[in-house]
């Protein structure tokens, strides 16, 4: 859903580009090529400003998220295109927590949108499944749950040690993500929402999900709603993925489910995500990390970043251009013009060139 309403289809969209570390830099470069090709044919302009926030900068001068960065992003930009962050030279990846988690929490990006879309039946490990069956989105609550950072350790390192991690579920947090799921299903004509929790065991923290889901679903009588416990849901996704269109769940389960989804649709190299606050500046990134093992070798798949760019274009009200990016990816997969991870022989740069050329051809 274009969650940032576009006043007009024309006009300039201002995009902050943060390539980050490792393969983040390589795949973002290719995504920019493809985005520029798509924008060259339309009435709306994309304006890119690049920021060097990442390990190099941190190691040079200790900066993670610069002073005033959040206010500047809110004031001067419509969206953020992010690569990946993480570098083995930085102890505990301190810069990563400050930069990425800092933006997620301080921009209140409460929706983590992870589409699972199979572009070619040959890419799924599920026997006999095709593109229409592996096609759903996971909407993960992105600001609370077990990842809220609430907890503590007592008598650390002793035989009596206690470690607590608190599962934070607020009325506001649960309601807004569930409501977003119904809005998303309704906007995209998807017809079905499945909410997943573990309320039979987590009788306090997840009971609120049950209650809020029952309330909110009555506002959307045209959408079929269903609840599955997380353990049943993962079995069902593998057994018969075609029954799902929109899945909404908490932070932890969403994290795990979306990696399962990424594998069902061809692997980490292809998976995009959006960190969204509807109507406000939001951040789009490939699901994969900085992958230091393959960085600098020109072998990383740029498709995750290109599909993340398509989500960004949707968010900016530029769905026709987003469609071009997706068609280019589909064409590259069926023509086997891809990187090695999904069976092709192109390098990162060559795969990006192919996609950009395909977009230009679509415009001609
Ligand atoms: P994080 O800890 O942030 O998840 P990571 O760097 O440990 O990141 P990922 O980047 O998520 O791990 O990737 C795990 C592995 O998957 C990589 O080591 C790499 O081999 C493979 N991989 C990830 N992204 C891509 C890609 N775009 N193209 C090809 N292979 C990839």
């Amino acid at each position: 859903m274009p969650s940032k309403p576009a006043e007009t289809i024309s006009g300039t969209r201002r995009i902050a580009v943060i390539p980050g570390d490792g393969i983040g830099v390589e795949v973002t470069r290719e995504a920019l090529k493809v985005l520029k090709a798509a924008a060259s044919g339309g009435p709306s302009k994309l304006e890119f400003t690049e920021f060097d926030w990442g390990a190099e900068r941190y190691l040079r001068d200790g900066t993670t998220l610069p002073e005033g960065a959040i206010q500047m992003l809110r004031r001067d930009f419509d969206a953020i295109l992010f690569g990946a962050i993480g570098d083995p030279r930085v102890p505990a990846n301190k810069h990563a927590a400050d930069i990425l988690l800092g933006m997620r929490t301080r921009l209140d990006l409460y929706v983590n949108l992870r589409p699972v879309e199979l572009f070619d039946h040959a890419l799924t490990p599920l026997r006999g499944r095709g593109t229409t069956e592996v096609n759903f989105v996971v909407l993960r609550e992105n600001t609370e749950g077990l990842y809220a950072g609430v907890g503590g350790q007592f008598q650390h390192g002793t035989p009596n040690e206690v470690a607590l991690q608190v599962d934070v579920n607020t009325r506001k947090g649960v309601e807004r993500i569930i409501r977003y799921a119904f809005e998303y299903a309704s906007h995209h004509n998807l017809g079905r929402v499945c909410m997943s929790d573990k309320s039979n065991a987590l009788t306090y923290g997840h009971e609120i999900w049950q209650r809020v889901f029952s309330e909110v679903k009555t506002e959307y009588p045209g959408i079929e709603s269903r609840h599955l416990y997380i353990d049943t849901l993962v079995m069902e996704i593998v057994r018969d993925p075609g029954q799902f269109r929109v899945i909404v769940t908490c932070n932890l389960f969403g994290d795990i489910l979306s990696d399962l989804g990424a594998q069902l649709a061809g692997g980490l190299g292809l998976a995009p995500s959006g960190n969204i606050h509807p109507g406000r500046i939001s951040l789009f990134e490939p699901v994969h990390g900085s992958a230091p093992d393959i960085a600098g070798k020109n072998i990383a798949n740029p498709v995750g970043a290109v599909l993340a760019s398509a989500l960004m274009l949707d968010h900016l009200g530029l769905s026709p251009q987003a469609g071009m990016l997706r068609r280019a990816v589909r064409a590259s997969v069926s023509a086997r013009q891809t990187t090695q991870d999904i069976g092709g022989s192109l390098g990162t740069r060559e795969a990006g060139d192919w996609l950009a050329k395909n977009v230009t051809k679509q415009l001609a």
Side-chain angles (χ1 to χ4, degrees):
M1 138 169 93
S3 42
K4 178 147 188 138
E7 306 78 45
T8 57
I9 194 77
S10 59
T12 300
R13 309 297 199 279
R14 301 153 309 162
I15 298 162
V17 180
I18 308 171
D21 303 328
I23 65 167
V25 178
E26 297 168 61
V27 297
T28 304
R29 193 182 300 132
E30 303 315 311
L32 285 176
K33 266 186 208 166
V34 184
L35 275 168
K36 284 174 185 168
S40 69
S44 43
K45 263 185 60 191
L46 300 180
E47 201 174 88
F48 301 99
T49 308
E50 203 161 314
F51 295 92
D52 65 350
W53 308 339
E56 285 302 334
R57 171 87 184 267
Y58 176 70
L59 293 168
R60 196 168 66 239
D61 65 15
T63 305
T64 53
L65 202 55
E67 182 84 24
I70 297 293
Q71 294 81 339
M72 180 268 299
L73 288 169
R74 270 207 207 103
R75 190 186 58 233
D76 299 338
F77 293 96
D78 299 306
I80 303 165
L81 182 64
F82 192 83
I85 202 133
D87 188 300
R89 293 171 300 168
V90 179
N93 273 320
K94 177 185 171 344
H95 70 307
D98 280 10
I99 297 171
L100 189 53
L101 297 184
M103 286 191 288
R104 274 192 196 147
T105 46
R106 291 169 64 195
L107 294 171
D108 196 24
L109 305 175
Y110 67 88
V111 178
N112 195 288
L113 167 68
R114 304 251 182 133
V116 177
E117 185 177 3
L118 180 64
F119 284 97
D120 188 302
H121 69 94
L123 295 176
T124 185
L126 294 180
R127 189 165 17 101
R129 297 293 178 192
T131 52
T132 52
E133 291 157 298
V134 183
N135 192 353
F136 57 91
V137 297
V138 177
L139 296 171
R140 159 186 172 191
E141 201 294 319
N142 210 24
T143 53
E144 45 187 54
L146 273 163
Y147 295 179
V150 178
Q153 292 185 335
F154 307 100
Q155 304 199 32
H156 184 90
T158 73
N160 297 324
E161 181 165 355
V162 178
L164 298 176
Q165 196 84 40
V166 178
D167 187 10
V168 177
N169 298 275
T170 67
R171 170 78 203 200
K172 177 180 155 200
V174 174
E175 185 171 335
R176 65 185 182 173
I177 189 70
I178 288 178
R179 195 174 291 286
Y180 186 89
F182 281 100
E183 288 291 324
Y184 187 95
S186 146
H187 188 87
H188 289 87
N189 262 332
L190 293 173
R192 275 175 256 169
V193 171
C194 175
M195 189 277 281
S196 186
D197 61 27
K198 189 66 185 165
S199 51
N200 50 348
L202 306 176
T203 52
Y204 306 114
H206 282 192
E207 186 272 341
I208 188 172
W209 283 78
Q210 289 279 333
R211 208 159 11 95
V212 173
F213 188 62
S214 318
E215 283 174 30
V216 174
K217 74 182 186 190
T218 61
E219 296 171 34
Y220 298 87
I223 295 174
E224 191 187 309
S225 58
R226 179 182 184 196
H227 166 261
L228 289 177
Y229 295 123
I230 188 65
D231 37 0
T232 309
L233 176 64
V234 288
M235 287 195 295
E236 286 297 312
I237 287 179
V238 173
R239 193 186 64 79
D240 178 17
Q243 55 184 308
F244 300 104
R245 287 293 169 262
V246 177
I247 296 170
V248 59
T249 189
C250 65
N251 210 337
L252 173 68
F253 297 163
D255 188 10
I256 300 166
L257 270 188
S258 39
D259 278 14
L260 169 70
Q263 288 308 320
L264 298 186
L268 270 183
L270 298 167
S273 75
N275 296 262
I276 296 171
H277 188 122
R280 291 203 206 157
I281 181 169
S282 297
L283 182 152
F284 300 85
E285 58 176 335
V287 166
H288 62 75
S290 60
D293 58 327
I294 59 166
K297 297 182 178 158
N298 194 41
I299 58 175
N301 192 339
V303 166
V306 171
L307 293 175
S309 306
L311 292 177
M312 180 179 78
L313 292 172
D314 285 334
H315 179 76
L316 295 171
L318 302 174
S319 291
Q321 286 85 342
M324 282 179 203
L325 268 55
R326 294 192 180 100
R327 276 195 295 280
V329 169
R330 197 165 287 119
S332 77
V333 172
S334 52
R336 301 281 181 270
Q337 295 297 314
T338 65
T339 47
Q340 297 162 22
D341 57 311
I342 53 167
S345 58
L346 300 184
T348 308
R349 278 189 296 276
E350 294 69 28
D353 288 342
W354 198 97
L355 292 167
K357 254 193 219 137
N358 183 282
V359 166
T360 307
K361 249 196 247 159
Q362 292 181 48
L363 284 167

